[in-house]
Amino acid sequence: MTVADKDILAAIAAGTGCGLVIVDGAGLIEYWSPQLEVVSGLQADQVVGQPWSGLLLPSGFSEPGADDVASSDMVDAETALSGIAFYPEDSDAEESGGRRVGILRMTSQYVDNVEGFPFAVETAVGIPSRRAMFELVQSQIACRDRYQTPFALLFLRIKNYKTFVEVLGSEVWEITNRAIYDQLSSIIRMADSVGLYDESTFWVVLANSSLDGTKVAAEKIKRLGSTMKVDALDLFLSVAVAGVVAHPGDNCDIMVQRGLVQIEKALKSASGLVVTK
C-alpha cells in the first residue's frame, strides 16, 4: 500500500468519523487507521502485517491516565472491537478470500468543529465511555482558556450496584446502565454530555456552567437517580453525586482527579451530594 493510499484512507476515516482496517486475502492487516490507534492503544506499525484473527489488545486499551496493562492481561481484538463491520472489496472477495475493509462506526457525543478532536469510543451498549469524557473535558479546557467560559464535571456513583450485579449478573447490569444513561440524557441540556466512567459511575460534562448552575444540575441528577428503581429486584438505586467547576490552570487529569476525590466525599456525606469549585 502506497503512502498516497494511506493518506486517502486517513482522510476518509477522519471525514466520516470511522475507524478503518483493511485485511488482505491471507487475513493479514494491511491498514490500521489513526482512529483505531486511539481506540486500541496500538500503533499501525505494531499491527500491520499481523493476522487479524487472534490479534490481542490491552484489556484496558489506552485510556488517558491509565497505567500500562501487563502483557498477560489482553483481550481478543475481534471481541473488543466487535462493532467493526467487514465488507468485501468486490462482490467475489468474500467467496474467494480476497481483501476486506472493516469499518468501525462510532457515535459518541463530541464537540462539533473542534479542530483535531480525537476519535471517541462508546461502551458495548452504546454509552460514551471514559475516553469520551477525557476528550470532552480537554476540549472544554481549551474553550475556557480561549473564551473564559466556565464548565463543570459531575460524577454519579451508584452505591448499591454490587447488589444488582450479584443478583442479576453483569449483562443485565449493562442493560440497566443503558436505561440510567437514557434517563440522565433526557434531563441534561443539549450542550451537556453524559457517559459511563466505570460500571458503577456516570460522568456528566456541563458546558458553560458556573458553580450555582452546577449545584442545580447536581441536585436534579441526585433526585433523578434516587427515584430510579430496578423492577426485577424491586429496589431503588442508592446514589451519590459530586461536581467540580474548572479552575484556572486545571488540566484534564487534575480536574478528573478532583472530581473523583469529591465523589468519595459525597459517598460518606449524609446528603450524598458535594459540589465545589
Coordinates of all heavy atoms in Angstrom, one line a residue, residues 1 5-6 8-10 12 19-25 27-33 36 47-52 84 86-87 89 98-103:
M1 N 0.8 -1.2 0.0 CA 0.0 0.0 0.0 C 0.9 1.2 0.0 O 1.8 1.4 0.8 CB -0.9 0.0 1.2 CG -1.9 1.2 1.3 SD -3.0 1.1 2.7 CE -4.0 -0.4 2.2
D5 N -2.1 6.1 -0.9 CA -3.3 5.3 -0.5 C -3.6 5.5 1.0 O -4.8 5.7 1.4 CB -3.0 3.8 -0.7 CG -3.0 3.5 -2.2 OD1 -3.6 4.2 -3.0 OD2 -2.4 2.5 -2.6
K6 N -2.6 5.5 1.8 CA -2.8 5.7 3.3 C -3.3 7.0 3.6 O -4.2 7.2 4.4 CB -1.4 5.4 4.0 CG -1.0 4.0 4.0 CD 0.4 3.8 4.7 CE 0.9 2.4 4.6 NZ 2.2 2.2 5.3
I8 N -5.2 8.9 1.6 CA -6.6 8.9 1.2 C -7.5 8.2 2.2 O -8.5 8.7 2.6 CB -6.7 8.3 -0.2 CG1 -6.1 9.1 -1.3 CG2 -8.2 8.1 -0.5 CD1 -6.0 8.5 -2.6
L9 N -7.0 7.1 2.7 CA -7.8 6.3 3.7 C -7.9 7.1 5.0 O -8.9 7.1 5.7 CB -7.2 5.0 4.0 CG -7.3 4.0 2.8 CD1 -6.4 2.7 3.0 CD2 -8.8 3.5 2.7
A10 N -6.8 7.8 5.4 CA -6.8 8.6 6.7 C -7.8 9.7 6.5 O -8.5 10.0 7.5 CB -5.4 9.1 7.0
I12 N -10.5 9.8 4.6 CA -11.8 9.2 4.6 C -12.2 8.9 6.1 O -13.3 9.2 6.5 CB -11.9 7.9 3.8 CG1 -11.7 8.2 2.3 CG2 -13.2 7.1 4.0 CD1 -11.6 7.0 1.4
G19 N -13.4 4.3 12.2 CA -12.1 3.7 12.2 C -12.1 2.7 11.0 O -13.1 2.0 10.8
L20 N -10.9 2.5 10.4 CA -10.8 1.6 9.2 C -9.7 0.6 9.4 O -8.6 1.0 9.9 CB -10.5 2.4 7.9 CG -11.6 3.5 7.5 CD1 -11.1 4.2 6.2 CD2 -12.9 2.8 7.3
V21 N -9.9 -0.6 9.1 CA -8.9 -1.6 9.0 C -9.1 -2.4 7.7 O -10.2 -2.7 7.3 CB -9.0 -2.6 10.2 CG1 -10.3 -3.3 10.3 CG2 -7.9 -3.6 10.1
I22 N -8.0 -2.7 7.0 CA -8.0 -3.5 5.8 C -7.3 -4.8 6.0 O -6.1 -4.8 6.5 CB -7.4 -2.7 4.6 CG1 -8.2 -1.5 4.3 CG2 -7.3 -3.6 3.4 CD1 -7.7 -0.6 3.1
V23 N -8.0 -5.9 5.7 CA -7.4 -7.2 5.9 C -7.3 -7.9 4.5 O -8.2 -7.9 3.8 CB -8.3 -8.1 6.8 CG1 -7.7 -9.5 7.0 CG2 -8.5 -7.4 8.2
D24 N -6.1 -8.4 4.2 CA -5.9 -8.9 2.9 C -6.4 -10.4 2.8 O -7.0 -10.9 3.8 CB -4.4 -8.9 2.5 CG -3.5 -9.8 3.3 OD1 -4.0 -10.7 4.0 OD2 -2.3 -9.6 3.3
G25 N -6.2 -11.0 1.6 CA -6.8 -12.3 1.4 C -6.2 -13.4 2.3 O -6.9 -14.4 2.6
G27 N -5.6 -12.8 5.4 CA -6.1 -12.5 6.8 C -5.1 -11.6 7.5 O -5.3 -11.4 8.8
L28 N -4.1 -11.0 6.8 CA -3.2 -10.1 7.5 C -3.6 -8.6 7.4 O -4.2 -8.2 6.4 CB -1.8 -10.2 6.8 CG -1.2 -11.7 6.8 CD1 0.2 -11.6 6.2 CD2 -1.1 -12.2 8.2
I29 N -3.3 -7.9 8.4 CA -3.8 -6.5 8.4 C -2.9 -5.6 7.5 O -1.6 -5.6 7.6 CB -3.7 -5.9 9.8 CG1 -4.7 -6.6 10.7 CG2 -4.0 -4.4 9.8 CD1 -4.6 -6.3 12.2
E30 N -3.5 -4.9 6.5 CA -2.8 -4.1 5.6 C -2.8 -2.6 6.0 O -1.8 -1.9 5.8 CB -3.4 -4.1 4.2 CG -3.0 -5.4 3.4 CD -3.5 -5.2 1.9 OE1 -3.6 -4.1 1.4 OE2 -3.8 -6.2 1.3
Y31 N -3.9 -2.2 6.6 CA -4.0 -0.8 7.0 C -4.8 -0.7 8.4 O -5.7 -1.5 8.6 CB -4.8 0.0 6.0 CG -5.0 1.4 6.3 CD1 -4.0 2.4 6.3 CD2 -6.3 1.8 6.8 CE1 -4.2 3.7 6.6 CE2 -6.5 3.2 7.1 CZ -5.5 4.1 7.1 OH -5.7 5.4 7.4
W32 N -4.3 0.2 9.2 CA -4.9 0.4 10.6 C -5.0 1.9 10.7 O -4.0 2.6 10.8 CB -3.9 -0.2 11.6 CG -4.4 -0.3 13.0 CD1 -4.0 0.5 14.0 CD2 -5.2 -1.3 13.6 NE1 -4.5 0.1 15.2 CE2 -5.3 -1.0 15.0 CE3 -6.0 -2.3 13.0 CZ2 -6.1 -1.8 15.8 CZ3 -6.7 -3.1 13.9 CH2 -6.8 -2.8 15.3
S33 N -6.2 2.5 10.8 CA -6.3 4.0 10.7 C -6.0 4.6 12.0 O -5.9 3.9 13.1 CB -7.8 4.3 10.4 OG -8.6 4.1 11.5
L36 N -8.3 3.9 14.9 CA -8.1 2.6 15.6 C -6.9 2.6 16.5 O -6.8 1.9 17.5 CB -8.1 1.5 14.6 CG -9.4 1.2 13.9 CD1 -9.2 0.0 12.9 CD2 -10.5 0.9 14.9
V47 N 0.7 -3.4 14.2 CA -0.4 -4.4 13.8 C -0.3 -4.7 12.3 O -0.8 -5.8 11.9 CB -1.8 -3.9 14.2 CG1 -1.9 -3.8 15.7 CG2 -2.1 -2.6 13.5
V48 N 0.2 -3.8 11.5 CA 0.3 -4.1 10.0 C 1.2 -5.3 9.8 O 2.3 -5.4 10.3 CB 0.8 -2.9 9.2 CG1 1.1 -3.2 7.8 CG2 -0.3 -1.7 9.3
G49 N 0.6 -6.2 9.0 CA 1.4 -7.5 8.8 C 1.0 -8.6 9.7 O 1.4 -9.7 9.5
Q50 N 0.3 -8.2 10.8 CA -0.2 -9.2 11.8 C -1.5 -9.8 11.3 O -2.3 -9.1 10.7 CB -0.3 -8.6 13.1 CG 1.0 -8.0 13.7 CD 2.1 -9.1 13.9 OE1 1.8 -10.2 14.4 NE2 3.3 -8.8 13.4
P51 N -1.8 -11.0 11.7 CA -3.1 -11.6 11.4 C -4.2 -10.9 12.2 O -4.1 -10.7 13.4 CB -3.0 -13.1 11.7 CG -1.9 -13.1 12.7 CD -0.9 -12.0 12.4
W52 N -5.3 -10.6 11.5 CA -6.5 -10.0 12.3 C -7.1 -11.0 13.3 O -7.3 -10.7 14.4 CB -7.5 -9.6 11.3 CG -8.9 -9.3 11.9 CD1 -10.0 -10.0 11.8 CD2 -9.2 -8.2 12.8 NE1 -11.0 -9.4 12.5 CE2 -10.5 -8.3 13.1 CE3 -8.5 -7.1 13.3 CZ2 -11.2 -7.4 14.0 CZ3 -9.1 -6.2 14.1 CH2 -10.4 -6.4 14.5
I84 N -16.9 -3.5 14.6 CA -16.3 -3.4 13.2 C -17.2 -4.3 12.3 O -17.4 -5.5 12.5 CB -14.9 -3.8 13.1 CG1 -14.0 -2.8 13.9 CG2 -14.4 -3.9 11.7 CD1 -12.5 -3.1 13.8
F86 N -17.3 -5.8 8.5 CA -16.4 -6.1 7.4 C -17.1 -6.2 6.1 O -18.2 -6.8 6.0 CB -15.6 -7.3 7.6 CG -14.4 -7.2 8.5 CD1 -14.5 -7.4 9.8 CD2 -13.2 -6.7 8.0 CE1 -13.4 -7.3 10.7 CE2 -12.1 -6.5 8.8 CZ -12.2 -6.8 10.2
Y87 N -16.6 -5.6 5.0 CA -17.2 -5.6 3.7 C -16.1 -6.1 2.7 O -15.0 -5.6 2.7 CB -17.7 -4.2 3.3 CG -18.7 -3.6 4.3 CD1 -18.3 -2.9 5.4 CD2 -20.0 -3.9 4.1 CE1 -19.2 -2.4 6.3 CE2 -21.0 -3.3 5.0 CZ -20.5 -2.6 6.1 OH -21.4 -2.1 7.0
E89 N -14.0 -6.3 -0.7 CA -13.5 -5.3 -1.6 C -14.3 -5.3 -2.9 O -14.6 -4.3 -3.5 CB -12.0 -5.5 -1.9 CG -11.4 -4.4 -2.8 CD -10.0 -4.6 -3.0 OE1 -9.6 -5.7 -3.4 OE2 -9.2 -3.7 -2.9
G98 N -10.7 -12.8 -0.6 CA -10.0 -11.6 -1.0 C -9.9 -10.5 0.1 O -10.3 -10.8 1.2
R99 N -9.5 -9.4 -0.3 CA -9.3 -8.3 0.7 C -10.7 -7.8 1.3 O -11.7 -7.8 0.6 CB -8.6 -7.1 0.0 CG -8.4 -5.9 0.9 CD -7.9 -4.7 0.1 NE -6.5 -4.9 -0.3 CZ -5.9 -4.0 -1.0 NH1 -6.5 -2.9 -1.5 NH2 -4.6 -4.1 -1.3
R100 N -10.7 -7.5 2.6 CA -11.9 -7.0 3.2 C -11.6 -5.6 3.9 O -10.5 -5.4 4.4 CB -12.4 -7.9 4.3 CG -12.8 -9.3 3.7 CD -13.3 -10.2 4.9 NE -12.2 -10.5 5.7 CZ -12.3 -10.7 7.1 NH1 -13.5 -10.6 7.6 NH2 -11.2 -11.0 7.8
V101 N -12.6 -4.8 3.9 CA -12.5 -3.5 4.6 C -13.4 -3.5 5.8 O -14.6 -3.8 5.7 CB -12.9 -2.3 3.7 CG1 -12.8 -1.0 4.4 CG2 -12.0 -2.3 2.4
G102 N -12.8 -3.2 7.0 CA -13.5 -3.2 8.2 C -13.8 -1.7 8.6 O -12.9 -0.9 8.6
I103 N -15.0 -1.5 9.0 CA -15.4 -0.1 9.3 C -16.0 -0.1 10.7 O -16.9 -0.8 11.0 CB -16.5 0.5 8.3 CG1 -15.9 0.4 6.9 CG2 -16.9 1.9 8.7 CD1 -16.9 0.8 5.8

